[in-house]
Amino acid sequence: MKHYENFVNGKFSPSGSKERIEVINPSTGQPICTVPESNASDVDAAVSAAASAQRDWAKQPAIERAKFLRRIADKIRQNVEPLARIITEEQGKILDLARVEVGFTADYMDYMAEWARRIEGEILESDRAGETILLFRQPIGVIGGILPWNFPFFLIVRKAAPALVTGNTIVIKPSEETPHNAVKFCELVSETDLPPGVINIVHGRGPTVGKALASSARIGMISFTGSVETGSAIMAAAAPNITKVNLELGGKAPAIVMSDADMDLAVKAMKASRVINSGQVCNCAERVYVQRKVADQFADKLTTAMKATRFGNPLVDESVEYGPLINEAGFRKVDSLVHSAVKAGATVVTGGKRASRDGGYYYEPTVITDCRQDMEIIRREVFGPVVPIVTFDDIDEAISYANDSDYGLTSSIYTRDLNVALRACQEIRFGETYINRENFEAMQGFHAGWRKSGIGGADGKHGLYEFMQTHVVYLQRY
Ligand code: NAD
């Protein structure tokens, strides 16, 4: 078994702690490798490296910084297959999806590099004679990135690419579930001439390494993707230093299926949305509202589709449609939400239990009908291959059900009626709405949750500007 280290100041360096985290393959329950269970001093050393690198990094023209991003993108493209295999082994997604993740990550790096010539300030009209007011956009300094495990490789770059092109440096804490891909990322970075300290990676647990990063007085912004509970803890840790937070949190995406919808399209989209990455995606349809007239027909078709879904160890059988859940805790959460729905009167039409395969954390593809708005399965994020269905009578009811949630990340509606689609867009209170399709979002969009789904957002121009602060200069002529 291999033992990996942190990546600080351009080198793989041992942690001050002797403790190690064993990385587990969720498809088999077997260990893969270890990374350090780092401590607060390791975070401090990485922040120091990032802070001293930042001064020179920010002095380079953005177009020069962008060249490094493109070089890293090229390295990623030359390593799609080994990277995809690492992601699949430690996270459990199917290889094709892992390949898509790696390819998208390289494209995202190039996309953010393109912004180098497009970062703009503003010239503002003054109230005073002979004065010019200039608004500059400047880097924040050192960014702290804290990552989840579900798209672990892409999330490194979703934080690092906008941070770097805008003149910041970064310290990243990968999820303790999926650190191996981050090690490989650092190997690729070290094959380029990126100056030391611009990207640093510290492995470890949330309450130690994550907390030390969020509470560091030398971090200018914490960009976090993960659960609502952790987002709240990070805000609290950042509060004493008034550190800016950028939070991409959980979702409970509603999908509304109107009776005039293309039923086959809606079923196909819903199944894909629930089985992709074993249902562990923040913007997947987590609760499905179907108009009463077509509810039975929809549930029948979806049940047939879900029953036919093949799952298993994605490294052994490349034809499976989904792999295991991330770990035993993930499995227990999904199972307990399904049981609580049944206890509250819902009906499991198919699935609803663990599948014993190879010692991994597999859950059967599951469809649950007779769900109600007050059930836990409709209110809490499930993160598994489970579709809970609620019926409604008219669009008013569907919109009020959709909006009745602590979460506000993504939403979708299936209809052929443009008026209904437009009405949903105007009245659904979510950061994103998909019409007649499910996820994913575009890199030129703006992925930003309402309510407890987050603060700020990622991607596109608006995501880029999250990594900059303004500086207004008043230039008075004699
Ligand atoms: P998590 O919140 O458990 O962990 C995320 C990261 O936070 C990990 O690196 C963890 O070590 C760290 N952490 C834990 N406690 C911490 C603390 N006290 N201080 C600082 N850091 C701490 O989330 P997860 O289980 O890894 O990921 C799943 C969640 O992420 C889901 O809720 C999902 O919806 C969400 N997610 C959201 C988006 C989005 O774009 N909105 C994208 C992907 C995942």
Side-chain angles (χ1 to χ4, degrees), residues 147 149-150 173 176 206 224-227 230 249-250 282 381 447:
L147 314 184
W149 45 262
N150 64 343
K173 188 200 101 56
E176 50 273 59
F224 168 70
T225 303
S227 65
T230 307
L249 308 179
C282 61
E381 193 180 43
H447 185 57

Side-chain angles (χ1 to χ4, degrees), residues 195-217:
V198 171
I199 293 179
N200 306 274
I201 297 219
V202 181
H203 299 284
R205 309 246 177 233
T208 46
V209 171
K211 190 171 177 195
L213 207 49
S215 57
S216 167

Side-chain angles (χ1 to χ4, degrees), residues 266-329:
V267 165
K268 202 169 157 202
M270 219 55 59
K271 172 192 151 169
S273 172
R274 286 322 308 161
V275 307
I276 190 166
N277 209 11
S278 313
Q280 305 167 120
V281 184
C282 61
N283 58 10
C284 274
E286 273 259 337
R287 47 195 171 117
V288 183
Y289 297 101
V290 186
Q291 200 157 20
R292 198 172 303 278
K293 298 183 240 192
V294 293
D296 288 345
Q297 182 199 358
F298 176 84
D300 286 350
K301 282 184 177 236
L302 185 64
T303 303
T304 306
M306 289 293 273
K307 269 187 175 158
T309 305
R310 280 166 307 100
F311 60 95
N313 184 338
L315 282 177
V316 172
D317 180 357
E318 271 209 48
S319 71
V320 295
E321 292 167 86
Y322 73 91
L325 296 171
I326 186 68
N327 53 25
E328 183 66 28

Side-chain angles (χ1 to χ4, degrees), residues 13-32:
S13 348
S15 157
S17 143
K18 294 284 161 268
E19 303 299 315
R20 308 289 303 179
I21 296 173
E22 209 169 62
V23 184
I24 303 295
N25 177 347
S27 300
T28 60
Q30 294 304 307
I32 301 169

